[in-house]
Amino acid sequence: MRLALISDIHGNLPALKAVISSIAEERADSVVCLGDIVGYGARPNECIELLAGERIPCIMGNHDAAVLGRLSLSMMSSHARTAAEWTINKLNIVNQEFLRELPLSLEIESVLCVHSSPNEPEQWRYIFNAPDAQVAFRSFSQPICFFGHTHYPITFTNLEDGRRLINVGSVGQPRDRNPRACYGIYDTVSKDFRWVRVEYPFTEAAKQIVDAGLPSYLAQRLATGM
Ligand code: ZN
């Protein structure tokens, strides 16, 4: 099975549409979304509705949890908090319910999917480096775990047993100095994984952010992938 893994969409509808087209071209058999559907971007309702319409299984991210009141806004950076407050006022009831039903992890064909870390996912820990990954490797047994949260595509391999922790990158707010939307394709038979980068009209997403009255920094960073 060819599995597409998308994460950290953050209300960026032009990026999500481009990625869903790319996944269709890749002929993936299944898609999983690793969370942070909302926050930062200006189209949270539309992104949820697109994922729900495509029947894509999703898990909950920290920004999704924040707009549900499950994570204190004081734990967030000022731009993230401003965007979360804006999103809370924008989300309709149906889409709030969609987010409320999301699990913190899911497993598909021995593949573990989480948003932040398999180690106490509700604590929203970050896996930035090898020491972080070592802690995470102790908390799951599957051969592979996909995650998001840092918006930085990277693979960590456990040298003792070959297990992998792979960050699939961010659809809607890449932070690796590459503005193109990022997602992953994993073949459950060959065990091969690769990232796919997708051009999308980031000026359109940036304009939506500015027009919504969200912080202009959130629009500017889309052009640089920072
Ligand atoms: Zn995120």
Side-chain angles (χ1 to χ4, degrees):
M1 180 173 78
R2 281 158 64 76
L3 181 62
L5 300 127
I6 63 177
S7 189
D8 295 278
I9 295 157
H10 286 296
N12 186 336
L13 186 63
L16 180 59
K17 283 181 173 173
V19 163
I20 285 179
S21 303
S22 170
I23 289 170
E25 286 167 17
E26 292 278 348
R27 299 181 185 276
D29 301 297
S30 207
V31 188
V32 175
C33 171
L34 307 186
D36 275 5
I37 304 168
V38 306
Y40 297 132
R43 294 291 183 271
N45 285 304
E46 293 85 346
C47 286
I48 292 172
E49 286 154 13
L50 183 49
L51 294 168
E54 297 276 333
R55 300 189 178 280
I56 293 173
C58 301
I59 56 181
M60 188 180 293
N62 54 310
H63 286 255
D64 308 318
V67 301
L68 296 172
R70 293 190 188 176
L71 174 66
S72 169
L73 298 187
S74 65
M75 302 287 288
M76 307 181 99
S77 69
S78 68
H79 290 316
R81 189 165 59 240
T82 302
E85 286 163 350
W86 179 91
T87 306
I88 288 167
N89 288 320
K90 268 282 185 255
L91 269 192
N92 66 43
I93 300 285
V94 173
N95 291 336
Q96 285 175 32
E97 283 307 309
F98 179 91
L99 293 182
R100 214 180 299 283
E101 296 299 318
L102 299 181
L104 286 169
S105 67
L106 69 80
E107 189 175 342
I108 174 166
E109 295 210 12
S110 299
V111 171
L112 179 64
C113 297
V114 296
H115 178 69
S116 58
S117 167
N119 176 29
E120 300 182 297
E122 73 285 358
Q123 296 298 318
W124 313 112
R125 300 178 197 286
Y126 289 91
I127 303 174
F128 281 117
N129 51 38
D132 297 338
Q134 279 311 315
V135 174
F137 274 123
R138 285 185 220 123
S139 55
F140 71 100
S141 57
Q142 292 85 347
I144 193 157
C145 173
F146 291 108
F147 69 104
H149 198 38
T150 64
H151 301 205
Y152 195 91
I154 191 168
T155 297
F156 298 99
T157 303
N158 189 335
L159 297 178
E160 287 168 16
D161 55 18
R163 287 183 300 140
R164 285 178 290 171
L165 264 168
I166 300 181
N167 191 308
V168 303
S170 170
V171 169
Q173 196 194 78
R175 293 181 192 160
D176 60 341
R177 298 174 187 270
N178 181 343
R180 291 179 297 164
C182 186
Y183 72 97
I185 294 269
Y186 177 62
D187 188 314
T188 58
V189 177
S190 70
K191 317 295 182 198
D192 290 333
F193 173 84
R194 66 187 163 86
W195 290 282
V196 182
R197 301 304 291 241
V198 185
E199 302 270 0
Y200 79 96
F202 57 75
T203 49
E204 191 180 322
K207 182 174 186 305
Q208 290 169 353
I209 286 170
V210 172
D211 289 351
L214 285 159
S216 59
Y217 167 72
L218 297 177
Q220 289 155 13
R221 71 187 302 178
L222 297 180
T224 55
M226 282 295 289

